[in-house]
C-alpha cells in the first residue's frame, strides 16, 4: 500500500477554483490538509472525520472555559491579535455569523464583514472565484457562507 501523496499549500495554486471543485473529494481533502495534520482550508463538512470533530469539540470547550476569567480572556485575546478575518456572509445566517464573529473577538482577531452581496464586485460581473482570490490577499482568514456550493 502506498502512502497518500504529500501536498503543500502551493499545490492548491495549480488548480483554478473551478478545476478544484471537480476533483474527487478525497484528493481535494489532501490538498486542503497540506503538509500539516491541521487543515488550512475548509470548504465543506465532509473534510472532517469523527476524530477531528472530537478534537475541535474538546478545544472549543477548553477555550470557552479559559475565556470565563478576566486573565483567561486577556490571554486568549492576545493569541491572534495580529490576524485579520473577513466574514463574508452572502447567505443570511445570523446565528452562524454571530458565532464566528464572537470566536474572532474572543481570540483577538480583527474582523471586517460583508453581509450584503450588493456591495460586492460579484454584482458587477466579477466571478465568485476572483472575488475570493482578491479578499484572500487582504485577510488571513475568510469565513464565509455563500449561496454557491463549495
Amino acid at each position: 500500500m502506498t502512502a497518500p501523496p504529500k501536498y503543500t499549500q502551493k499545490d492548491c495554486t495549480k488548480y483554478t477554483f473551478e478545476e478544484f471543485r471537480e476533483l474527487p473529494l478525497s484528493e481535494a481533502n489532501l490538498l486542503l490538509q497540506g503538509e500539516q495534520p491541521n487543515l488550512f482550508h475548509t470548504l465543506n463538512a465532509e473534510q472532517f472525520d469523527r476524530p477531528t470533530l472530537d478534537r475541535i469539540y474538546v478545544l472549543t470547550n477548553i477555550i470557552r472555559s479559559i475565556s470565563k476569567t478576566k486573565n483567561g480572556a486577556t490571554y486568549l485575546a492576545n493569541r491572534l491579535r495580529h490576524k485579520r478575518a473577513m466574514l463574508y456572509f452572502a447567505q443570511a445566517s445570523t446565528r452562524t455569523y454571530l458565532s464566528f464573529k464572537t470566536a474572532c473577538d474572543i481570540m483577538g482577531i480583527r474582523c471586517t464583514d460583508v453581509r450584503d452581496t450588493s456591495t460586492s464586485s460579484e454584482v458587477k460581473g466579477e466571478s465568485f472565484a476572483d472575488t475570493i482570490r482578491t479578499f484572500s490577499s487582504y485577510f488571513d482568514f475568510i469565513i464565509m457562507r455563500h449561496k454557491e456550493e463549495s
Side-chain angles (χ1 to χ4, degrees):
M1 180 189 275
T2 50
K6 293 270 186 183
Y7 290 103
T8 66
Q9 190 167 7
K10 277 189 165 183
D11 290 323
C12 290
T13 62
K14 292 179 182 176
Y15 300 95
T16 66
F17 183 69
E18 289 74 22
E19 291 169 334
F20 176 81
R21 287 174 59 175
E22 298 302 319
L23 291 174
L25 187 59
S26 59
E27 188 174 343
N29 284 345
L30 287 172
L31 279 167
L32 295 170
Q33 185 172 346
E35 295 179 51
Q36 304 299 319
N38 303 316
L39 295 171
F40 56 77
H41 293 294
T42 302
L43 294 180
N44 55 56
E46 289 80 15
Q47 289 176 242
F48 299 105
D49 58 13
R50 187 65 203 193
T52 301
L53 290 172
D54 290 341
R55 283 194 322 269
I56 291 169
Y57 177 77
V58 168
L59 180 60
T60 56
N61 280 326
I62 290 168
I63 290 170
R64 186 176 294 120
S65 176
I66 292 170
S67 72
K68 299 279 186 211
T69 67
K70 184 177 180 180
N71 287 341
T74 301
Y75 169 80
L76 291 172
N78 287 312
R79 301 304 307 155
L80 297 172
R81 187 166 299 287
H82 61 289
K83 298 293 185 181
R84 295 172 314 216
M86 159 63 87
L87 299 174
Y88 185 56
F89 277 67
Q91 184 178 22
S93 180
T94 302
R95 288 179 297 195
T96 304
Y97 169 82
L98 287 174
S99 70
F100 282 105
K101 173 73 170 105
T102 301
C104 288
D105 290 345
I106 288 169
M107 298 304 293
I109 300 169
R110 292 172 287 148
C111 292
T112 301
D113 62 36
V114 172
R115 297 187 70 188
D116 179 5
T117 56
S118 69
T119 64
S120 167
S121 292
E122 285 181 77
V123 173
K124 297 185 280 184
E126 181 177 82
S127 74
F128 174 62
D130 285 341
T131 297
I132 298 307
R133 193 174 295 111
T134 301
F135 288 163
S136 72
S137 69
Y138 305 141
F139 299 97
D140 300 296
F141 309 104
I142 299 174
I143 301 164
M144 146 173 68
R145 182 162 190 167
H146 200 279
K147 298 170 203 145
E148 207 173 297
E149 283 190 35
S150 292

